[in-house]
Amino acid sequence: MPIYRVWYRDNPEPLQFAAPNRCSDMEILEHILAQEKIAPAGTEPTLSEIIEKNRLAPVRYTEDESELNVIE
């Protein structure tokens, strides 16, 4: 079970969650939207549009203590 630590909006503390399988970037964004109680993305077709519309940038994460990844 991968453990994810996700930083967004320059929050000092990451959102942390475990997933049964590896998560896609969209699934990671869905966790953020749920945490922030933001309605799921409707018509925004790209990850960058979802991030921009909801002012989530920068979005970065680690998976099981791996190197830092960026969702753009």
Side-chain angles (χ1 to χ4, degrees):
M1 252 172 103
I3 304 286
Y4 288 88
R5 296 177 73 195
V6 185
W7 292 267
Y8 58 96
R9 292 185 179 152
D10 284 327
N11 291 338
E13 293 296 318
L15 168 63
Q16 187 167 316
F17 63 91
N21 299 308
R22 291 190 68 199
C23 288
S24 68
D25 289 351
M26 186 62 206
E27 290 169 321
I28 291 170
L29 282 180
E30 288 170 354
H31 278 274
I32 295 171
L33 296 175
Q35 173 72 22
E36 294 295 318
K37 297 178 175 66
I38 298 171
T43 59
E44 296 83 25
T46 67
L47 297 174
S48 61
E49 288 177 349
I50 295 167
I51 291 168
E52 182 179 336
K53 176 187 175 196
N54 295 291
R55 297 185 176 120
L56 300 173
V59 179
R60 305 171 309 253
Y61 70 93
T62 61
E63 177 188 339
D64 288 333
E65 307 283 331
S66 68
E67 68 180 57
L68 197 62
N69 298 290
V70 177
I71 301 176
E72 299 180 285

